[in-house]
Amino acid sequence: MVKKLKVLKTPLFITHYTDLSGLLGLLKTGKFWASNVSFLNDRQELLHGISLARRALKSSKFSNTPAKWSQAFEAAAERLEAGEIPDTYAVCFCEQRDMLSLWRGYGGDTQGVSITFRRLQLEELMEPHGAHLFKVIYGNTNGMPKVTSELKSYLVVLDASRRSRPSSDSVAVAYEILCELIPQFKHFGFRDEREWRFVFRDELPMDGVEFRQKAGVLVPFIKIGPEAASMLPISKITVGPGPESMLTAKSIERFLQIKGLKIAVEQSTVPFRV
């Protein structure tokens, strides 16, 4: 019996984890900082996605793939592995708003908070920026069926619509397909993150790119979001574990009151000592 893939359930709410500085910036400007994944650990995740795609294309399920497309995808994968990765930006979210594994990233001197959004309304706000929401698929066992299914769907369309295109165009098409697919996959070791991410690629003018310091690297990022913070569909702010979490929550409530933003503020129930 063939095992059917489970249908992915899209959550009603998604949560962005950050620190107090990140919260302030978002509530003042309405903008997310979308980081270039090539300058984060996520670059290894991109390579993981490329590896999955190459394995899928070499499997028996693609034995009847026209040679033109097999060669095109191989050439496109080689370009990506050689470092020719496009400027891909991402904003990360989680299915849950109060997770120990994520609070650990905001311990010590940094007070973590999570910001929960109504997913559908946030998608509508991000759509004009060309940002699409994807559920991250973890590991080879889950990733291979997803990659295989997506690639087969693409090839059916390509085979029907591009028969007359010159072969020189095939590599460019395959490259674009892989660039869209690979940010959706991560190594199994990150499965506890339960991540969803808005991913997009855009040719922005150089003055639209800013930089922030992280772990000895200047990470390029761009700001995307609505014109005002009041437009953000925030349903709740959760204050993570910390030495003064109750005082932190009260300070956030005061800030929201002054700004005229009606957003519920709660404290984490996770028993994590920072």
Side-chain angles (χ1 to χ4, degrees):
M1 181 180 293
V2 178
K3 184 178 180 180
K4 293 183 179 179
L5 291 177
K6 293 181 179 180
V7 177
L8 297 180
K9 294 182 179 180
T10 308
L12 295 177
F13 299 92
I14 54 176
T15 297
H16 180 66
Y17 284 75
T18 184
D19 56 21
L20 282 176
S21 295
L23 174 65
L24 275 177
L26 187 65
L27 293 178
K28 286 180 178 180
T29 67
K31 305 295 184 183
F32 292 97
W33 287 17
S35 297
N36 189 315
V37 298
S38 295
F39 292 84
L40 300 172
N41 292 335
D42 295 40
R43 186 180 187 280
Q44 296 302 316
E45 298 161 13
L46 294 179
L47 296 177
H48 174 70
I50 297 169
S51 176
L52 285 177
R54 296 185 81 162
R55 287 176 57 191
L57 289 163
K58 291 178 180 178
S59 70
S60 59
K61 295 182 181 295
F62 291 89
S63 59
N64 295 324
T65 300
K68 177 181 73 172
W69 289 115
S70 295
Q71 295 167 3
F73 275 102
E74 180 64 26
E78 289 178 357
R79 284 175 57 184
L80 288 164
E81 287 179 329
E84 196 175 332
I85 298 175
D87 285 332
T88 302
Y89 294 87
V91 184
C92 301
F93 297 81
C94 177
E95 293 179 5
Q96 297 188 6
R97 66 178 180 83
D98 194 8
M99 288 191 65
L100 173 60
S101 59
L102 292 178
W103 289 134
R104 282 174 172 157
Y106 297 96
D109 296 331
T110 302
Q111 173 62 60
V113 296
S114 70
I115 312 166
T116 301
F117 298 85
R118 293 182 289 277
R119 188 264 311 165
L120 184 58
Q121 290 91 326
L122 187 59
E123 281 193 272
E124 292 173 350
L125 284 175
M126 300 291 265
E127 185 177 3
H129 299 282
H132 301 287
L133 184 66
F134 295 107
K135 178 180 175 63
V136 174
I137 308 298
Y138 297 97
N140 296 335
T141 302
N142 296 320
M144 282 295 290
K146 176 65 174 177
V147 169
T148 301
S149 174
E150 293 286 344
L151 286 174
K152 286 183 75 69
S153 297
Y154 276 118
L155 286 170
V156 168
V157 175
L158 291 172
D159 193 45
S161 64
R162 295 180 177 269
R163 293 180 185 275
S164 61
R165 291 291 186 91
S167 59
S168 60
D169 185 53
S170 302
V171 176
V173 173
Y175 178 81
E176 289 298 315
I177 290 173
L178 290 182
C179 287
E180 181 175 327
L181 276 178
I182 57 180
Q184 302 178 42
F185 302 91
K186 270 190 175 184
H187 188 275
F188 187 71
F190 295 96
R191 65 191 182 281
D192 288 341
E193 295 177 351
R194 303 182 187 182
E195 184 179 341
W196 290 71
R197 52 170 58 163
F198 280 100
V199 178
F200 64 102
R201 292 185 294 118
D202 199 1
E203 296 299 328
L204 295 171
M206 294 302 293
D207 58 2
V209 179
E210 300 183 46
F211 291 83
R212 64 185 179 89
Q213 187 275 335
K214 182 178 180 180
V217 177
L218 294 179
V219 180
F221 72 92
I222 60 176
K223 297 177 181 179
I224 61 171
E227 296 179 358
S230 59
M231 299 173 64
L232 289 170
I234 300 175
S235 68
K236 185 175 297 183
I237 295 172
T238 302
V239 178
E244 297 289 349
S245 58
M246 183 179 294
L247 183 61
T248 300
K250 289 183 178 180
S251 70
I252 294 173
E253 289 174 345
R254 180 60 173 161
F255 176 86
L256 295 172
Q257 181 184 25
I258 292 176
K259 294 295 182 179
L261 299 172
K262 296 181 179 180
I263 302 171
V265 179
E266 294 185 358
Q267 290 179 255
S268 169
T269 60
V270 172
F272 171 55
R273 182 176 299 173
V274 294

